């Protein structure tokens, strides 16, 4: 699900689903849903959910590096 990657990157960068939702002009529920779809697709959790915050486990950090690189390349290309 390509639309899930920017939601994941925003939540990882901002450390919060709520902050990512505000930055992307979406609801927190929409961000959470996109992240859950991505986690289901990958078959592993990308975040450790904490009260009002998200923390990246090793798998999440590895995936974030790839997503950031690809989003940067897309931005540069356009």
């Amino acid at each position: 699900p390509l639309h899930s990657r920017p939601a994941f990157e925003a939540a990882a960068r901002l450390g919060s689903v709520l902050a990512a939702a505000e930055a992307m002009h979406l609801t927190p529920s929409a961000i959470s849903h996109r992240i859950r779809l991505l986690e289901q697709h990958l078959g592993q959790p990308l975040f450790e959910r904490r009260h009002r915050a998200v923390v990246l486990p090793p798998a999440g950090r590895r995936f974030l590096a790839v997503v950031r690189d690809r989003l940067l390349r897309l931005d540069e290309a356009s």
Side-chain angles (χ1 to χ4, degrees):
L2 289 175
H3 70 288
S4 298
R5 286 160 176 83
F8 163 73
E9 191 279 332
R13 176 172 34 87
L14 299 169
S16 160
V17 169
L18 180 59
E22 290 173 357
M24 296 184 72
H25 305 287
L26 296 169
T27 64
S29 177
I31 297 293
S32 292
H33 179 72
R34 290 176 184 197
I35 292 170
R36 271 194 306 278
L37 283 175
L38 191 54
E39 289 175 325
Q40 289 172 353
H41 177 75
L42 296 172
Q44 60 186 337
L46 296 172
F47 288 113
E48 294 174 7
R49 280 119 174 123
R50 301 199 177 150
H51 182 70
R52 297 186 182 236
V54 291
V55 177
L56 292 167
R61 287 193 299 275
R62 287 190 301 273
F63 191 66
L64 178 61
V66 172
V67 168
R68 279 190 174 155
D69 178 65
R70 298 311 187 268
L71 290 175
L72 179 61
R73 288 181 186 207
L74 285 170
D75 190 49
E76 290 171 350
S78 61

